Amino acid sequence: TFNMEKTKFIQIDIDPMEIGRNYPVEIGAIADAKAALKQILDEAKKICPNGIDRPELREQIAKVRAEFKASYHDLSVDDRFPMTPQRILKDVKDVLPANAMITTDVGWNKNGVAQQYEILEPGTIHHTSGLATMGFGACSVLGVKLAAPDRVCITLTGDGGFGAANPSCIATAVEQNI
């Protein structure tokens, strides 16, 4: 994902031992991420109070997104067995409300959702980005459901994340009536 020769990282972490642990950082800040990001946003608004408008870039992004979406359309409507992951995402999208809460595990489920599942409401998708924490999906959906009990909450996980890593989450869900 990153070209380490050109990419410069800023890492904000409350734990000083985490700064630069996974990637070399240009700037490491020991702070609560929420407080630090608020301060960064306040400073950015001082520098550029009206934001930056780049209509050409927006058009370019929209064009590339449309081309990418068209590139997997046939797979998303394919009736083959076993089903393609693209078809599963399309079928899930067709039945879930727009405000459904989704967690994902690592692997294609995370990448496919990030690339091919159009998120319409902020805060409705939760995954671990590049941290490769197998088992996150099946366990995190329990916390998401506790936080949003009136919303549909699902996880998209594979056999490794569900079966090998965390089958105990089912027992927890039953025991705690989640």
Side-chain angles (χ1 to χ4, degrees):
T1 302
F2 305 114
N3 178 342
M4 298 305 285
E5 294 176 17
K6 295 194 296 188
T7 304
K8 294 181 181 181
F9 292 99
I10 298 173
Q11 182 177 355
I12 301 167
D13 204 300
I14 204 158
D15 182 353
M17 297 299 291
E18 292 298 315
I19 302 293
R21 187 169 75 95
N22 295 316
Y23 298 102
V25 297
E26 189 78 12
I27 299 172
I30 301 165
D32 174 83
K34 185 175 182 178
L37 289 172
K38 182 186 178 317
Q39 188 172 0
I40 290 170
L41 180 60
D42 290 345
E43 293 303 315
K45 285 180 178 178
K46 289 177 189 174
I47 295 168
C48 194
N50 297 320
I52 298 172
D53 188 21
R54 295 183 177 140
E56 302 85 12
L57 181 58
R58 288 180 199 270
E59 285 178 31
Q60 181 183 2
I61 291 170
K63 180 181 176 217
V64 170
R65 286 184 67 177
E67 290 170 357
F68 181 69
K69 191 172 184 177
S71 76
Y72 64 81
H73 175 267
D74 290 349
L75 289 172
S76 69
V77 295
D78 194 313
D79 285 334
R80 77 176 81 171
F81 181 85
M83 294 173 72
T84 65
Q86 293 84 354
R87 173 64 189 268
I88 293 168
L89 284 181
K90 180 201 165 295
D91 289 353
V92 166
K93 184 72 170 172
D94 288 347
V95 299
L96 285 183
N99 73 343
M101 304 294 278
I102 302 170
T103 67
T104 66
D105 218 284
V106 299
W108 195 93
N109 7 331
K110 172 187 66 87
N111 296 337
V113 168
Q115 295 171 354
Q116 299 175 14
Y117 195 95
E118 189 174 6
I119 304 300
L120 301 174
E121 289 196 26
T124 57
I125 182 74
H126 302 277
H127 58 84
T128 63
S129 297
L131 298 177
T133 50
M134 183 177 284
F136 173 83
C139 293
S140 64
V141 75
L142 301 182
V144 168
K145 187 62 176 177
L146 288 172
D150 297 329
R151 292 173 66 185
V152 172
C153 300
I154 70 162
T155 189
L156 298 169
T157 191
D159 58 346
F162 182 75
N166 285 304
S168 61
C169 62
I170 293 176
T172 301
V174 171
E175 181 183 296
Q176 299 298 316
N177 196 30
I178 302 172

